[in-house]
Amino acid sequence: MKNSVFSDYPLKYDRWYDNNRDLYWPEMLALKRVVKKEEFGLEIGIGTGRFTMPLGVNIGIDPSYEALQIAQTRGVEVIEGIGEDIPFECDTFDYVLMVTTVCFLENPKKTFKESKRVLRKKGKLVIGMIPKRSDLGKIHLENKETSLFFKDVIFYSTKEITRYLKSAGFNKFQFLQTLINYPKEKEYFRYSKIQNEYDRGSFIVITAKI
Ligand SMILES: C[S@@+](CC[C@H](N)C(=O)[O-])C[C@H]1O[C@@H](n2cnc3c(N)ncnc32)[C@H](O)[C@@H]1O
């Protein structure tokens, strides 16, 4: 099965965050700029829930039962499910979040339409992603064959995802970037800056509204 690697090695995936704090924290801080604790939110592809507590996410779905078991210990409500068929009613959430999940989806367009369905009127879809032509995206693509977790991914450019979002009915967009010139830029204080662009970052946050 395509995504069973997260079920086979959930702890190994979870530990990646402890060993890569220099990547994890800039990603977290960029997401914190747009995800607000007082809002009611769903994370699609929550995995082991590493972004959940610091961001105050309320509910997470994921096809991996084993990953969800770990996420649950972080105090979030979890449900087995996929983004293409979200197990919630229309108009439920202030935001829907996906962090490094779009590249694993069977059908991103369907997932964006589903996200729009479960969002409240003024809600937002927040996507954290590694663009395919970014420095980190290129490294992942070069090492794809031997990578445990990124073997089967399909990376997209920020423009491609924005196009899909438009066709799903979103039409207002805001972009943030961090991991700027990573890993060519060695100085943490430089590559971890957060900017309102999407041209040089290895981690992009897209906020899409209707
Ligand atoms: C790279 S992990 C990211 C996990 C978490 N968001 C994080 O940043 O730590 C990708 C996650 O997407 C999940 N996933 C794969 N296909 C999915 C789908 N169709 N719908 C929702 N989640 C999916 C995987 O099980 C995995 O937990």
Side-chain angles (χ1 to χ4, degrees):
M1 261 260 307
K2 193 180 168 192
N3 295 308
S4 64
V5 65
F6 294 100
S7 295
D8 291 341
Y9 304 101
L11 278 174
K12 194 166 184 172
Y13 181 72
D14 194 58
R15 243 176 267 130
W16 182 91
Y17 287 100
D18 296 324
N19 301 328
N20 292 277
R21 286 181 184 278
D22 60 329
L23 300 184
Y24 175 37
W25 280 106
E27 292 180 2
M28 177 70 77
L29 293 176
L31 289 164
K32 264 183 188 251
R33 292 235 179 144
V34 289
V35 173
K36 301 297 168 201
K37 282 201 169 165
E38 60 275 16
E39 295 172 331
F40 186 60
L42 167 73
E43 184 175 353
I44 294 175
I46 189 173
T48 58
R50 276 291 182 153
F51 288 91
T52 304
M53 226 161 52
L55 293 177
V57 177
N58 303 88
I59 303 176
I61 63 168
D62 200 288
S64 168
Y65 172 83
E66 289 76 6
L68 289 178
Q69 294 308 295
I70 299 176
Q72 206 165 25
T73 65
R74 299 200 156 106
V76 64
E77 189 183 331
V78 298
I79 297 180
E80 259 182 272
I82 55 168
E84 290 84 348
D85 187 13
I86 301 174
F88 288 100
E89 289 180 6
C90 303
D91 305 319
T92 303
F93 297 100
D94 295 316
Y95 68 85
V96 170
L97 170 70
M98 293 180 227
V99 189
T100 324
T101 290
V102 166
C103 54
F104 289 90
L105 295 171
E106 287 286 340
N107 190 334
K109 283 187 198 171
K110 198 168 173 203
T111 302
F112 298 161
K113 277 193 189 151
E114 271 290 271
S115 302
K116 184 170 169 251
R117 181 184 66 74
V118 300
L119 278 173
R120 291 176 181 155
K121 240 192 192 121
K122 290 189 174 169
K124 61 195 174 196
L125 173 56
V126 179
I127 294 176
M129 60 176 273
I130 302 168
K132 69 176 169 192
R133 290 191 202 90
S134 66
D135 293 327
L136 199 53
K138 284 181 199 156
I139 291 172
H140 278 307
L141 285 172
E142 276 163 24
N143 299 322
K144 213 173 162 204
E145 292 310 310
T146 53
S147 165
L148 180 61
F149 293 107
F150 286 89
K151 207 180 176 73
D152 293 319
V153 295
I154 301 173
F155 282 120
Y156 301 91
S157 68
T158 308
K159 280 188 180 164
E160 277 171 319
I161 291 300
T162 307
R163 240 188 352 257
Y164 291 172
L165 288 166
K166 278 183 186 160
S167 75
F170 292 91
N171 52 47
K172 288 182 207 143
F173 303 99
Q174 184 208 334
F175 302 95
L176 294 174
Q177 66 180 357
T178 189
L179 304 185
I180 296 155
N181 292 332
Y182 182 91
K184 286 179 200 152
E185 181 58 74
K186 303 278 183 239
E187 304 288 347
Y188 180 80
F189 76 92
R190 286 209 188 98
Y191 69 70
S192 64
K193 274 183 191 160
I194 300 168
Q195 301 173 337
N196 293 299
E197 303 283 344
Y198 61 84
D199 56 341
R200 287 184 304 134
S202 282
F203 188 76
I204 307 294
V205 177
I206 306 177
T207 305
K209 293 185 181 173
I210 298 152

